[in-house]
Amino acid sequence: MNLDIKFYWSLVLTRLPVMTGLFLVCFVTATVNALKLPPSYSTSAQLLVEEAQIPDSMIDSGGIDPVEQLQVIEERLMTRANKLDIARKFKVFEDVDLMSADEILEEMEENTDIRRTGGRRGEATLMRVSFEARSGQIAAAVVNEYITLILQENSDFRIGRAEAALAFFEQEVERLDLDLEVQSSEIIKFKNANSGALPDDLNFRQGRQTLLQERQARLERDIAAVEAQRRDLLTVYETTGQVDVEGNRTLSREEQQLLELQFELEQALAIYSGTNPRVTLLRNRIAQLERSIQNPSQGGSGLLVGEAQEPANVILELTMAEMEQRILSYSEELQTVTDELNTLSVSIAATAGNAISLNALQRDYDNIQARYNEAVRNLNQARVNERIEVSAQGQRVSVIENASVPQEPSGPNRFLLIATGAAVGGALAAIYFMILETINRTVRRPAELQSRFNIIPLAVIPYIESRGELVRRRVALATAFLAVLIGVPAALYAIDTLYIPLDILANRIFDRLGFS
């Protein structure tokens, strides 16, 4: 596609007044704004997050990440209340008393610049706080106030965090200590309520049960033997009228007790050592009974069933009375043994359930004890951390570069504003030209005739202007260009001086367009 430069140049000349007007509006407005904008001053201060002075290997400080710490500080710094207080305290804006809170906040946000750098492994974590104001003194005062708030917020944040952790673990230790006391009371109460059926003395009760079962069987045999002897004695007496005390002589009560004690001694020696108090007691009783049997006048019954001088019926009555007494004694002892066996059986049967319940109580106690020990450890660490933060020995934020009062203005960049206005004006003029060219469907060149109708014209006769028409067209174009060149600046000047300043008008237009 061949570009007809002469044709397009003629179009540019034709549309030059309007394009010049668009360019002049943007260029003049930007120039006026750039020249009327007051100078601004900017200053900054730099902060550094220092590592803790006490090595982490010696303490568990539980510190937060430096980048996260700076983010928290920034959020706490740039609160609505802080920005309003600083703006009104230092009269950051000339008409700050007439500005609304939202306007003040918007301007403070726009003039404040906070940048964080570093934070990666092996790099220092830095924060730079900058502010732009209408004077160097105000800019420095605002930045220094920011720094003061940052340092105070960091100190309050870290100390408050350490004190909160300390208070929490103190409450946790007290709560768990109370839980331990309650659980201990529950265990003691359960043991007292089931003192005879606890798993601690299960082996002793089982051994006692075995011993009593053997004793019960022996007593039953003894009762059966005495009853058999009594029946045999009665049978002999009824048959012969005599008492055969020699053939039917039974052991005396002392002899029977001696046999029982000797059996108990054998059972005790199978369980206990020879120096056990129970073994010693059984041996003393056995020795006493042996002496009593050998010397009946010192405590034995002194009754011999075979006395020849006694009549048979007297011997029978005495022998029968002795047997009845022995049976009664054996029966009472058997009842005692049976009652104790029943009690032991019930307690042994209940021991398994009590063991489960006691284990559950003990397990809860151990869990609480483990949490208590952990809470005590955390409490001690929290006390160390709180002391470290109060003494400023932990991780902290320090100032490495204070804000100074700038001597030269940092803005605005007037050349950039003017160049931007010129670029926007040129862009609008180009857009205007392209829009007209796009919507214009008139055939003006042979190439357009050929492309639109798909024909090849044999000859094209252009419109030939007369000399008068050419002069009038050029005069009109020059007049329009001069009118735009002079009228647009004059109109903008009149608007700026008589109606509304151009900088305010431009700001309002930008606000409407959403570019504020």
Side-chain angles (χ1 to χ4, degrees), residues 34 110 119-120 125 241 278 330 377 403 410 421 429 478 482 510 513:
E110 182 178 351
R120 292 187 293 270
T125 304
R278 179 174 177 81
Y330 290 158
R377 189 187 69 80
S410 58
L482 291 175
F510 288 151
L513 295 177

Side-chain angles (χ1 to χ4, degrees), residues 21 24-25 28 479-495:
L24 287 177
V25 169
V28 173
T479 303
F481 179 75
L482 291 175
V484 169
L485 194 62
I486 298 173
V488 170
L492 292 177
Y493 176 78
I495 293 174

Side-chain angles (χ1 to χ4, degrees), residues 2 18 25 147 157 164 169 173 223 261 280 303 341 344 389 476:
N2 296 326
V18 178
V25 169
I147 297 303
F157 169 72
F169 286 116
V173 169
I223 292 174
L261 291 176
T280 303
L303 178 62
L341 276 174
L344 286 174
E389 295 300 340

Side-chain angles (χ1 to χ4, degrees), residues 237 243 310-320:
Y237 180 76
V243 178
E310 291 289 339
N313 57 348
V314 174
I315 295 174
L316 178 62
E317 290 176 1
L318 291 176
T319 303
M320 293 296 292

Side-chain angles (χ1 to χ4, degrees), residues 233 243-255 292-297 300-320 322-323 326:
L233 183 61
V243 178
D244 186 8
V245 296
E246 293 297 335
N248 297 282
R249 184 180 181 276
T250 59
L251 298 176
S252 65
R253 180 177 180 83
E254 289 80 2
E255 294 173 340
S292 176
I293 292 172
Q294 293 175 1
N295 190 6
S297 61
S301 61
L303 178 62
L304 295 177
V305 297
E307 295 180 0
Q309 68 274 17
E310 291 289 339
N313 57 348
V314 174
I315 295 174
L316 178 62
E317 290 176 1
L318 291 176
T319 303
M320 293 296 292
E322 182 186 2
M323 290 182 178
R326 287 166 61 188

